[in-house]
Amino acid sequence: MNQFEKVFYKKISFNKDISINKNLLSIKIFDKKILIIGGAGTIGSSYAKQVLKFKPSKITVVDINENGLTELTRDLRSSNLLDYNPEYITYPVNLLSDTFDKIFNSDNWDTVANFSAHKHVRSEKDKISVEALIKNNVYGAIKLLNLCDANPPKHFFSVSTDKAANPVNIMGASKSLMEKLILSKKYKFRVSTARFANVAFSNGSLLDGFIYRLQKKQPLSCPEDIKRFFVTPEQSGQICLLATFLGETGNIFFPKLDFHKDQIYFKEIALDFLKDNGFEPKLVQSEKEAKEFNFDKYPNIYPIYFFKTDTSGEKVYEEFYTEEEDYEINKYDSLGFINTPEIEISFDNVEADFERIFKNPNSNKLDIINIIKKYVPDFMHIETGKHLDQKM
């Protein structure tokens, strides 16, 4: 755990809820069969580690990232988490493939946990990138829920995002739609999900990118007006562990972080990050000036460019719930949750609506947004004509 993870860790701890519910978690996990999809990423791999502490008899991890699965296995084998010798296997397989069906149908799963998703706002550049996002986040959920319908697990969990609350970007709105799809099954089998904060230094995150920039002697850049909630990678797995097994079917969990006190500006983190690594930050006025900085001449100074947010789908803060939702924050020490209404939604209609747009060569990104709004009426997309891939 680096210095910054320690800062985030101090803001909230999930250890008390895990300790209080230790017997319940043991009953739900010990000697059970667990299927984890998208398990090679930061959150999925952390979840696997949390689950293994309670000794399931079988744990199967699926992810399209073959290298990520390899590192997960090395990590687990180098720890003591697999020393009790459970049945453990990984598959580098896409959730949307026919091969995944064979994995799912190979056993009767006690718990199915899904972490497979497009998670970045930068994934919504144009019609093609948005189609890929929808197929992963929406079609993937539909396929997995249909498989569970035919062979129900005792617990189904799928990770959501804080961006699903009052969504302004397609990624967040797709997750809000995913939540509705999941909730439509809450009386068929037990389902739950969780909205939570940015995972500090997770794969592909802005903070993770800071480390790469230093390694490559490249300038740092980040928005000066955006603040976010943060949890550590370990905490992300703990949230999902608790959200899988606590509460009632249909609950949407979130960490009890204070909206005003616990959100941190990226700008503050960036400056502290440079100082912690022994550099004096030098604020520059443009990407051009940042890239022209002479690292050899000034080895103890580091350029950083701050800019005001002007890209599509970004809002300056995040939130876990809206006042219109039926939320409860007193039952658990570290988690709140939303009690959700019964939802009826046709999976076939959802797919048909999107397919009509995807197959039309004259359709565009706005047409896809309008389909999402049909199912997520509170989706207020922020479109500026710029996207994050146009930034450093």
Side-chain angles (χ1 to χ4, degrees):
M1 185 180 294
N2 61 39
Q3 173 191 332
F4 296 94
E5 289 179 357
K6 290 178 182 177
V7 171
F8 303 139
Y9 192 85
K10 289 179 182 177
K11 289 185 176 295
I12 191 169
S13 173
F14 303 94
N15 293 329
K16 182 176 181 180
D17 281 319
I18 291 174
S19 178
I20 290 173
N21 293 285
K22 187 174 181 179
N23 289 339
L24 171 67
L25 293 170
S26 182
I27 291 169
K28 300 288 187 179
I29 301 171
F30 179 75
D31 207 30
K32 301 298 192 299
K33 299 174 182 179
I34 315 290
L35 174 63
I36 302 176
I37 304 101
T42 302
I43 305 174
S45 60
S46 178
Y47 180 82
K49 293 172 186 176
Q50 295 297 322
V51 164
L52 281 167
K53 293 178 181 180
F54 294 90
K55 298 186 176 180
S57 62
K58 179 177 181 177
I59 184 165
T60 297
V61 185
V62 180
D63 200 293
I64 59 172
N65 186 346
E66 186 178 18
N67 291 336
L69 287 174
T70 299
E71 174 54 29
L72 172 64
T73 299
R74 288 171 176 160
D75 188 7
L76 295 177
R77 292 294 182 194
S78 299
S79 73
N80 62 2
L81 288 172
L82 291 174
D83 286 357
Y84 73 98
N85 201 30
E87 186 178 350
Y88 168 79
I89 190 167
T90 64
Y91 291 107
V93 171
N94 191 321
L95 166 61
L96 294 172
S97 70
D98 293 339
T99 306
F100 177 80
D101 296 23
K102 297 176 182 178
I103 298 170
F104 188 94
N105 293 324
S106 67
D107 214 325
N108 295 315
W109 305 100
D110 294 291
T111 298
V112 174
N114 180 36
F115 301 90
S116 174
H118 278 58
K119 303 177 178 71
H120 291 281
V121 177
R122 69 174 61 245
S123 297
E124 51 185 75
K125 295 175 279 289
D126 54 20
K127 177 187 172 182
I128 294 174
S129 59
V130 173
E131 178 177 340
L133 183 154
I134 293 296
K135 286 186 174 177
N136 194 6
N137 292 0
V138 178
Y139 286 26
I142 288 174
K143 177 178 180 179
L144 196 50
L145 289 165
N146 282 335
L147 286 169
C148 288
D149 219 3
N151 189 10
K154 293 183 177 67
H155 296 86
F156 174 87
F157 172 82
S158 187
V159 70
S160 186
T161 172
D162 49 9
K163 294 175 177 62
N166 281 327
V168 300
N169 52 64
I170 298 172
M171 189 279 286
S174 74
K175 284 289 198 171
S176 180
L177 175 52
M178 179 208 74
E179 289 178 356
K180 294 176 186 295
L181 296 167
I182 292 170
L183 296 174
S184 73
K185 296 292 184 181
K186 75 178 196 175
Y187 296 122
K188 296 286 186 68
F189 47 92
R190 186 201 149 95
V191 301
S192 61
T193 184
R195 300 174 183 170
F196 60 92
N198 286 29
V199 181
F201 298 94
S202 59
N203 296 338
S205 68
L206 179 63
L207 305 191
D208 184 48
F210 287 170
I211 297 172
Y212 285 104
R213 301 289 73 72
L214 258 63
Q215 291 174 345
K216 298 179 179 183
K217 288 188 176 181
Q218 295 174 336
L220 264 58
S221 122
C222 76
E224 65 181 2
D225 52 350
I226 283 185
K227 58 183 178 179
R228 294 288 185 262
F229 294 109
F230 289 92
V231 294
T232 69
E234 179 187 26
Q235 288 175 329
S236 73
Q238 292 175 324
I239 293 170
C240 296
L241 174 78
L242 291 167
T244 302
F245 300 105
L246 299 190
E248 305 296 330
T249 184
N251 285 164
I252 300 175
F253 288 87
F254 55 86
K256 284 168 59 173
L257 289 164
D258 186 274
F259 179 84
H260 299 287
K261 296 179 181 178
D262 293 331
Q263 295 201 63
I264 306 174
Y265 283 99
F266 280 122
K267 178 179 180 179
E268 295 176 9
I269 298 171
L271 292 172
D272 288 343
F273 176 80
L274 287 178
K275 293 173 184 176
D276 187 59
N277 280 276
F279 294 104
E280 178 185 342
K282 175 179 173 56
L283 274 61
V284 298
Q285 301 304 310
S286 67
E287 289 189 359
K288 182 176 184 295
E289 183 183 352
K291 288 187 282 190
E292 290 176 349
F293 181 81
N294 191 328
F295 286 91
D296 294 327
K297 187 176 180 179
Y298 304 103
N300 298 319
I301 298 176
Y302 215 94
I304 181 166
Y305 173 54
F306 295 126
F307 54 87
K308 288 192 179 295
T309 301
D310 61 355
T311 50
S312 298
E314 287 283 12
K315 61 182 179 182
V316 296
Y317 61 87
E318 294 296 354
E319 52 202 329
F320 295 124
Y321 55 86
T322 68
E323 290 302 319
E324 289 72 33
E325 291 176 304
D326 177 19
Y327 60 90
E328 168 62 58
I329 59 173
N330 296 318
K331 185 172 182 178
Y332 303 109
D333 179 66
S334 59
L335 292 173
F337 61 90
I338 299 166
N339 291 305
T340 57
E342 184 172 0
I343 291 176
E344 292 187 8
I345 187 169
S346 167
F347 290 9
D348 290 340
N349 288 348
V350 170
E351 287 189 306
D353 284 340
F354 283 118
E355 282 300 305
R356 187 176 67 256
I357 302 300
F358 295 157
K359 292 178 179 178
N360 180 356
N362 298 316
S363 65
N364 55 39
K365 177 179 168 183
L366 181 59
D367 294 320
I368 302 175
I369 290 171
N370 287 332
I371 294 299
I372 300 174
K373 286 183 176 180
K374 175 180 176 180
Y375 296 101
V376 186
D378 61 341
F379 178 29
M380 301 297 291
H381 187 247
I382 294 177
E383 180 61 62
T384 68
K386 295 182 180 180
H387 53 80
L388 282 171
D389 274 2
Q390 294 171 306
K391 301 282 188 181
M392 283 199 305

